[in-house]
Amino acid sequence: MVALARRVALDADFGAAVDLRAIDHGFDLHGAYLPVLEDVSFGIPAGQFVALLGPSGCGKSTLLRLVAGLERPRHGDLLVDGEEVRGPDPSRVLMFQDPTLYPWRTVWRNAALGLEARGLLKEQRHRVDQALALVGLNKFAQAFPHQLSGGMAQRASLARALVNDPRLLILDEPLGKLDSLTRLAMQGELTRLWQARGFTVLMVTHDVEEALLLSNRVIVVSDRPARVRADLAVDLPYPRHRDHPELLRLRREALGLLGLGQDW
Amino acid sequence: MTVLAETAPRVAETGAHRSGGDRLANSLRLPVAAGLLWLGVAGVILAVPDAQELERTSLLGVLAIVVGAAQLGVAALSWVTAHAARLARFAPWLIVLALFVGVWEALTAKLDVLPLPFFPSPQAFVEVYTDDWRRLGDSLLHSLLLLARGFAVGAAVGFLVGVALGWSRRVGYWIHPVMRLVGPLPATAWLPLAFFIFPTSASASTFLIALATAFPLTVLTWSGVASVQTAYYDVARTLGANERFLILKVAIPAALPHVFVGLFMGLGSSFAVLVVAEMLGVKSGLGWYLQWAQGWAAYANMYGALLVMALMCSALITLLFRVRDRLLAWQKGLLQW
Ligand SMILES: Nc1ncnc2c1ncn2[C@@H]1O[C@H](COP(=O)(O)OP(=O)(O)OP(=O)(O)O)[C@@H](O)[C@H]1O
Ligand SMILES: [Mg+2]
């Protein structure tokens, strides 16, 4: 993985810049309109790591699907590098909340999916091995998904996203199913990788501490329909320590915004 | 049969408490019994004079001796290799078969109590294969060829139409109503028309078998493709997959378990149509052989052909199971045939 990181080198403009302008979105549910996103506006400069926090069911995954281009917003403009997002693109990879590995493919061939879809697999096989090594699954390369634990499946899905060398990595609770130790290790790997490759990250998490440890900015959204409630800058050097007073202060603030202020 | 089969594990259980040698001796009891029983049957066949006029009595006797000797050989070899010991699991079946053949032989050839020609003796059954193997083999070959042609055409068409129906709304608009109307019609209903329209009875039969195969396969492939989770497509789309990739590498593999259910159903109905087509139109094949044997009241030949047909169908189903097990190795809990 180190080799891979060096090969790409730190290219200041590698990451994609994202711009959301007054996004409205919703669904038709049982004949009625269910507003999910309301006037959501924020920008992410190239190379920034942004964490998205919000209550369950508020519309975080929906927002990520819009950014990935899997759905078009009902209103508002969604720009990546100044261009309207019209559909999915391999430079913006979404790692889903569920691993959704293909049960008929081995872990290796699941991770190779993006390269295969773009016809790059022949030249870049080593990238698959590297990504699997990074998430600690090289011993399970030939296993089928039903032979994996929930956390392993999630790591396999992270490897499948990383293989593609995305300019924008969109992560939906990527480490949610991991035990605390693996989680710490993967948080470290993610930070290192982000620093080495310079891609932009938009990550949903339900763990306030994780958001503060990893990101440059934490965006807190309200309950459905989601609106941006706060945009907290986290100006601390990496690697960060969870006991840092500034981090503790931000933590209290974020929890307060999520409605848990008093008891914490 | 059940009584005998149930005693087998019980023998093994009690043996576990004794020494190793005793246990082995116990597990050999059934093969030895089967061997001796078959030799006994051979003795009856060869020693008791036939009450009917029969040709292959001595051959049948020799066959019984061979089966019996083979069982005793297995028992003897079990002392040497564990490999042979595994063959011993057929012993309960062979005991039952020996009793069956013995009673059958006694009631027909030796005592002549069962009416001819409906109940031919075992040696008459053997005679079918020794004297008529050429015609039987030829019929088998013709049946296999016809079935292979029809099934291949039907499977290819059914699969493609199923994928198209599952994938494209426009295809669905035109094909769905036609399929709903025509699909459930049994393929045999087309028989008179097919033999009239097609230039040869072979092409007509191929068409009928293909039709019988295609319908269940189309429906199941279609439902398989239609029920693929949209999340699977989303994953591939964010990774840069085009439509071709989505069909070939996502929709079809995801639908494959359904496709195989369709193939099994298609194969089953193709057997039915094969036999009917051969009986009514084609002048070759096992179906025709059955018809011909009935015309001559050659019941032994009919039973002989039925056995060949059963073996053929069973072998084809087994083959399909093997293919499925290879392609769907990723599924857990597959049914073992
Ligand atoms: N395809 C859909 N059709 C109808 N409603 C939908 C659809 N997708 C999402 N929703 C609704 O949109 C709302 C937001 O869903 P979303 O998955 O974005 O929540 P979330 O913030 O990711 O929640 P969680 O933290 O639990 O994952 C929910 O109320 C959900 O019912
Ligand atoms: Mg979600």
Side-chain angles (χ1 to χ4, degrees), chain B residues 35-311:
Chain B
L36 294 177
L37 209 51
W38 273 98
L39 292 181
V41 171
V44 171
I45 294 169
L46 294 174
V48 182
D50 288 339
Q52 299 173 339
E53 204 175 302
L54 291 163
E55 295 208 1
R56 298 288 171 183
T57 303
S58 44
L59 177 62
L60 183 69
V62 171
L63 283 176
I65 291 176
V66 169
V67 174
Q71 275 301 292
L72 293 179
V74 164
L77 272 178
S78 300
W79 291 101
V80 191
T81 76
H83 227 66
R86 263 192 282 140
L87 286 175
R89 71 198 165 94
F90 296 117
W93 263 108
L94 283 163
I95 289 173
V96 171
L97 281 176
L99 293 175
F100 174 71
V101 171
V103 171
W104 179 15
E105 174 73 9
L107 293 180
T108 54
K110 304 305 180 195
L111 304 174
D112 198 14
V113 248
L114 293 179
L116 282 173
F118 308 107
F119 294 98
S121 60
Q123 39 269 71
F125 197 73
V126 168
E127 193 182 339
V128 173
Y129 296 113
T130 58
D131 292 21
D132 208 23
W133 61 269
R134 210 180 279 278
R135 199 189 328 237
L136 255 179
D138 192 56
S139 301
L140 174 64
L141 196 68
H142 275 96
S143 287
L144 276 174
L145 283 177
L146 180 56
L147 191 67
R149 267 203 312 265
F151 185 74
V153 172
V157 171
F159 178 74
L160 291 177
V161 173
V163 171
L165 274 171
W167 192 258
S168 157
R169 256 169 220 280
R170 200 169 335 149
V171 173
Y173 177 82
W174 291 108
I175 296 192
H176 186 203
V178 177
M179 209 189 60
R180 273 182 69 163
L181 181 69
V182 176
L185 196 64
T188 40
W190 293 92
L191 206 122
L193 194 65
F195 280 109
F196 176 68
I197 292 176
F198 281 85
T200 62
S201 60
S203 54
S205 316
T206 308
F207 165 76
L208 292 174
I209 293 170
L211 203 64
T213 308
F215 176 62
L217 186 57
T218 302
V219 173
L220 275 140
T221 305
W222 171 29
S223 86
V225 170
S227 64
V228 177
Q229 299 178 35
T230 48
Y232 286 165
Y233 297 129
D234 287 345
V235 166
R237 281 170 62 215
T238 61
L239 296 175
N242 55 20
E243 177 146 335
R244 186 187 141 87
F245 189 91
L246 292 183
I247 296 177
L248 294 180
K249 301 290 179 95
V250 183
I252 290 178
L256 220 49
H258 283 85
V259 172
F260 269 96
V261 175
L263 282 173
F264 280 110
M265 292 170 61
L267 192 58
S269 42
S270 76
F271 291 155
V273 176
L274 173 77
V275 175
V276 175
E278 284 176 344
M279 281 181 172
L280 295 183
V282 195
K283 291 278 167 281
S284 63
L286 289 170
W288 166 82
Y289 189 99
L290 283 175
Q291 190 88 336
W292 169 85
Q294 195 216 16
W296 289 96
Y299 282 85
N301 294 58
M302 220 152 87
Y303 298 137
L306 274 177
L307 182 63
V308 171
M309 198 184 270
L311 289 175

